[in-house]
Amino acid sequence: MIRKIKRIVFLVLLAQSAVSYAQVGMGTENPTADEYEVKGSVRFRSLEHKGSATHSRELRSDNLGRLTVVESKSEEGLYFSNLVKQFMTETVTVPLGYPQDLGVLLRVDLKPYSETTVILSYNIPVFMKVTTASPVPHFAVVQLNRKREGLVTPLYGGSRKFSFPVSYPGDANELKGMFLDGKYVDVIQNNSPTTQTVEYSLFGIIQASSFTAAFFGDDPNNTQVGNMGVGVFSAMIFNKTY
């Protein structure tokens, strides 16, 4: 009797060992994964929030649904999140004393409990006709603004100013100008549990002692401009959670 019981226990343990190394499937009778396969969706609830300092890996899958982890954290604790850009679609006339929105708006989402580094770059052509009323604009300005929670803040470190000379050599109605190129690094923290949105915009400004106007951007269909190029505004976004 004792020998029979030992034999039964041995068979049970042998079966459990075989099952522990077998392929397991949910929703499928023929799993193909090495250990575990699920046919259908998977949902996790009540996950504990952790920062990238201790949880820097991301779970990803290939086109067959096989999961793996990748390291998303750099040595500095930042990881690339997104690249956003806007092109100017038309020329914007900016008269003296009336700043004008150049029509290039960038939106950046700030993840909960994170620090976001935004590297902003722009290149805007500015030009005028040599027959514009005298005196010509003393300065053409591209002003960088940031809007967060309804508050607009000029980022003067990212603004650029170009000085027009008193006169240009050339034929009447000829367009003269240059590009205003600017860069700025903005570091923002979001200490709240919800996602926040920050907006960046560019404004054209003319500073002079008498009324006149200049033109910002370029119309690719306007052959008089001479292909000065279309204005562009872009941002590279890096995140760090904590």
Side-chain angles (χ1 to χ4, degrees):
M1 182 69 179
I2 296 176
R3 183 179 298 176
K4 186 175 182 180
I5 293 176
K6 289 182 177 180
R7 185 178 180 182
I8 294 174
V9 172
F10 173 76
L11 292 174
V12 170
L13 292 175
L14 183 63
Q16 289 179 343
S17 176
V19 170
S20 65
Y21 288 97
Q23 295 170 324
V24 180
M26 294 186 64
T28 176
E29 296 180 356
N30 301 302
T32 59
D34 293 337
E35 295 180 3
Y36 193 73
E37 180 175 345
V38 178
K39 184 179 181 180
S41 60
V42 178
R43 182 178 183 183
F44 298 93
R45 297 188 181 186
S46 302
L47 294 178
E48 185 179 359
H49 173 77
K50 294 289 184 179
S52 61
T54 57
H55 292 65
S56 60
R57 292 182 171 183
E58 295 181 357
L59 186 64
R60 298 185 184 181
S61 70
D62 60 11
N63 57 355
L64 297 179
R66 294 174 298 195
L67 299 179
T68 188
V69 292
V70 295
E71 186 70 43
S72 61
K73 178 182 173 183
S74 68
E75 294 181 357
E76 294 78 19
L78 297 174
Y79 64 91
F80 175 73
S81 174
N82 198 9
L83 170 66
V84 293
K85 61 182 180 299
Q86 286 286 330
F87 293 93
M88 293 185 67
T89 58
E90 60 184 1
T91 302
V92 178
T93 303
V94 180
L96 176 65
Y98 295 91
Q100 299 294 314
D101 190 339
L102 300 184
V104 281
L105 180 69
L106 300 181
R107 292 184 174 90
V108 176
D109 290 333
L110 309 178
K111 297 182 179 180
Y113 303 111
S114 69
E115 180 180 276
T116 302
T117 299
V118 186
I119 303 177
L120 298 150
S121 301
Y122 62 83
N123 187 284
I124 307 295
V126 183
F127 58 93
M128 61 168 292
K129 293 182 179 180
V130 295
T131 56
T132 301
S134 182
V136 296
H138 292 174
F139 296 102
V141 181
V142 172
Q143 180 175 297
L144 173 64
N145 293 333
R146 178 184 65 207
K147 182 179 180 180
R148 182 179 183 183
E149 297 180 344
L151 178 64
V152 178
T153 303
L155 302 177
Y156 294 111
S159 301
R160 297 293 183 269
K161 180 183 289 188
F162 166 63
S163 175
F164 281 93
V166 175
S167 63
Y168 276 111
D171 298 331
N173 296 319
E174 186 177 357
L175 296 170
K176 297 291 186 179
M178 67 164 295
F179 296 94
L180 284 178
D181 184 86
K183 292 180 174 59
Y184 187 79
V185 178
D186 199 21
V187 180
I188 318 172
Q189 290 186 343
N190 179 12
N191 298 315
S192 72
T194 59
T195 299
Q196 298 181 359
T197 300
V198 173
E199 295 180 350
Y200 296 94
S201 60
L202 298 177
F203 274 70
I205 302 174
I206 293 299
Q207 297 176 346
S209 58
S210 180
F211 180 82
T212 186
F215 308 95
F216 289 69
D218 186 6
D219 183 354
N221 298 318
N222 185 354
T223 57
Q224 291 184 352
V225 177
N227 297 321
M228 292 186 65
V230 177
V232 60
F233 186 28
S234 65
M236 294 182 64
I237 305 166
F238 298 84
N239 288 325
K240 179 174 69 174
T241 56
Y242 49 83

